[in-house]
Amino acid sequence: MATILLNHTEINVGGNFPVVGEYAHSFLLVDASLIDVPLSRFAGKPKVIAVIPSIDSAIGLSIARQLEKLSIDWPEETVILVISVDTPYALARAMEQERFRRVQLLCTLRGRDFHKDYGVMITDVPLSGLMATALIGLNSYDIVMYSELVADLSFEPDYGEMAECLFPVIEEEDAPLELDIDEENNQT
């Protein structure tokens, strides 16, 4: 069991939080149209998974907006999922108001195991039933490349570190050197 904070008060969080290097646990969540969405739907694509308490909370909406903004710099095939305990109707309203293009909002309406399988289940009253704030990066094989259970329920995760782990930059120095053929011929 992990512990996070809210207003300097400790909150217990249960379940098995993903560990870097392990395969992500499968899930079945629900989108704003009440359609079941399994993890397998995104096979072969890198995934950014943000877990929020609610899309109606300031922190939840802030995280979704920030991911939408940052996604401009990420590979086009990257799937960005923001998961909460909200109703599909709340998700639909938020999607319409915010006009998200890359961010997909999902909920745990029929996927209550997600709370435990992803180690974000708040167990202390009065917040039990909500999920802790977290950010997880999966590569195209569903291997966990980054996992952060945010230390305080009202803080944002480290987007930059997640992006570095999921989308490593290839240095130009590492590229093979090319010889100028004319220069090589002149030396003989």
Side-chain angles (χ1 to χ4, degrees):
M1 185 168 292
T3 303
I4 61 170
L5 297 174
L6 176 62
N7 300 325
H8 307 290
T9 302
E10 289 189 353
I11 300 170
N12 290 308
V13 178
N16 301 308
F17 196 70
V19 175
V20 171
E22 293 182 349
Y23 281 97
H25 201 286
S26 63
F27 59 67
L28 182 66
L29 300 170
V30 177
D31 70 10
S33 300
L34 291 165
I35 296 171
D36 289 341
V37 179
L39 176 61
S40 61
R41 174 184 286 181
F42 312 108
K45 298 178 180 180
K47 290 158 275 300
V48 174
I49 300 173
V51 181
I52 59 173
S54 172
I55 196 64
D56 289 325
S57 66
I59 191 62
L61 192 53
S62 178
I63 289 170
R65 286 174 176 160
Q66 188 67 11
L67 289 171
E68 180 74 20
K69 179 180 170 186
L70 292 170
S71 70
I72 294 168
D73 297 328
W74 298 340
E76 190 175 319
E77 72 273 9
T78 304
V79 175
I80 303 154
L81 307 174
V82 176
I83 302 168
S84 68
V85 298
D86 295 300
T87 66
Y89 310 112
L91 301 183
R93 177 183 36 76
M95 292 289 289
E96 183 178 327
Q97 289 174 350
E98 296 297 322
R99 301 187 195 284
F100 291 128
R101 293 174 187 229
R102 300 265 323 261
V103 167
Q104 298 178 50
L105 302 180
L106 301 174
C107 68
T108 58
L109 179 69
R110 290 187 287 274
R112 293 290 176 175
D113 290 342
F114 182 87
H115 294 72
K116 288 185 254 177
D117 293 341
Y118 278 76
V120 292
M121 179 176 64
I122 295 177
T123 59
D124 291 346
V125 173
L127 298 177
S128 58
L130 292 178
M131 295 186 293
T133 306
L135 187 63
I136 303 159
L138 307 179
N139 69 11
S140 58
Y141 301 103
D142 293 340
I143 296 173
V144 178
M145 303 303 291
Y146 180 81
S147 64
E148 176 187 2
L149 181 61
V150 181
D152 189 299
L153 192 61
S154 60
F155 289 1
E156 290 189 48
D158 190 338
Y159 307 106
E161 188 174 338
M162 185 278 308
E164 286 178 23
C165 292
L166 193 56
F167 314 115
V169 177
I170 298 172
E171 298 293 331
E172 288 185 33
E173 296 172 4
D174 296 338
L177 295 175
E178 293 181 26
L179 293 176
D180 185 355
I181 294 175
D182 291 334
E183 185 179 311
E184 190 176 289
N185 289 337
N186 291 337
Q187 292 178 355
T188 54

